């Protein structure tokens, strides 16, 4: 008779020790936000709860290979990898900061493997998490993360507001700003900045915790967009960031 309860060594028990991994890379520079230019290792997990840029939306996701099963074979792109193996790869990279990114890494936060990964990464230095801000951290995860970069998606990404803006999560991250969280918005036009203004007001996000990043998939586009928005960003009292990796390594869309 089987009990249905997984036992150590069973397929299910092993699965609980794994996470869908896209890539581990570095050392490189953090390319965006307040830590731009810092040496960092990156761990990119698969899976996302949004689908930015599908349909006719102008703002496209630059890591579709982590979640878009219609375009990519996710079993190949993001195979389930044991946490111990991820940590072993991360440990070979010399850098003071680990950046956990995706996809949307917080979709995995309730898995034991996720807290095991954060715990292991903390032994290597600071742990930063990049998130779309739709999932509030559990207390356990919150304690294991030094810094959240929260990037709520604007209307330009095409997802409906009810999907991309989650009030409880945004309020939780706003309460952690600016000490443990900052907000990074990707903007292409003054209209996008007006939308940022509304969110900042609605969720009481401190302006000093807001970074505006220009849209763009090429160095020329990033620079042109940044120049067109710079004065308006300054006037509003926000910070700004470029996309350093796009300027330094424009031909390389992975591993940088
Ligand atoms: S939230 Fe991030 S990873 Fe997910 S679809 Fe949007 S841009 Fe891509």
């Amino acid at each position: 008779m089987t009990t249905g309860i997984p036992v150590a060594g069973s397929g299910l028990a092993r699965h609980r020790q794994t996470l869908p991994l896209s890539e581990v890379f570095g050392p490189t520079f953090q390319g965006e936000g307040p830590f731009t230019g810092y040496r960092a290792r990156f761990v990119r997990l698969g899976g996302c709860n949004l689908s930015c840029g599908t349909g006719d939306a102008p703002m496209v996701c630059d890591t579709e290979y982590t979640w878009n099963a219609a375009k990519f074979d996710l079993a190949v792109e993001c195979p389930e990898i044991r946490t111990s193996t991820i940590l072993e790869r991360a440990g070979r990279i010399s850098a003071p900061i680990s950046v956990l990114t995706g996809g949307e890494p917080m979709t995995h936060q309730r898995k034991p493997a996720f807290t095991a990964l954060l715990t292991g990464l903390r032994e290597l230095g600071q742990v930063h998490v990049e998130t779309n801000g739709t999932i509030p951290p559990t207390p356990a995860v919150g304690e294991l993360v030094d810094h959240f970069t929260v990037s709520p998606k604007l209307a330009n990404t095409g997802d409906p507001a009810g999907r991309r803006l989650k009030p409880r999560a945004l309020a939780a991250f706003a309460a952690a700003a600016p000490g443990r969280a900052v907000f990074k918005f990707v903007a292409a036009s003054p209209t996008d900045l007006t939308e940022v203004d509304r969110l900042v007001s609605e969720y009481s996000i401190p302006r000093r915790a807001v970074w505006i990043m220009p849209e763009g998939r090429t160095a020329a586009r990033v620079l042109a967009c940044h120049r067109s928005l710079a004065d308006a960003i300054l006037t509003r009292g926000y910070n700004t960031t470029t996309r350093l990796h796009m300027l330094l390594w424009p031909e390389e869309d992975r591993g940088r």
Side-chain angles (χ1 to χ4, degrees), residues 48 50-52 61 63 67 102-103 132 153:
C48 187
L50 298 182
S51 50
C52 303
C61 175
T63 55
W67 59 268
N132 61 25
K153 303 309 171 192

Side-chain angles (χ1 to χ4, degrees), residues 171-191:
F173 286 120
R180 306 257 330 272
V182 300
F183 285 73
K184 184 185 72 188
F185 295 94
V186 181
S189 69
T191 307

Side-chain angles (χ1 to χ4, degrees), residues 17 35 46 48 50 63 76 82 87 109 149 152 161 182 213-214 234:
Q17 301 305 318
F35 292 91
C48 187
L50 298 182
T63 55
V76 173
R82 293 180 68 87
L87 287 169
Q109 73 162 341
T149 297
V182 300
M213 185 171 79
L234 208 50

Side-chain angles (χ1 to χ4, degrees), residues 29-88:
F29 300 120
Q30 169 56 284
E32 305 173 355
F35 292 91
T36 297
Y38 276 71
R39 285 171 60 87
R41 71 179 67 76
F42 280 71
V43 176
R44 187 185 304 284
L45 299 181
C48 187
N49 57 345
L50 298 182
S51 50
C52 303
T54 49
D56 296 328
M59 204 72 69
V60 296
C61 175
D62 55 10
T63 55
E64 269 189 295
Y65 51 87
T66 64
W67 59 268
N68 193 344
K71 283 191 184 174
F72 298 90
D73 183 345
L74 297 185
V76 173
E77 294 286 350
C78 304
E80 290 285 336
I81 302 290
R82 293 180 68 87
T83 309
S84 56
T85 303
I86 300 173
L87 287 169
E88 193 258 319

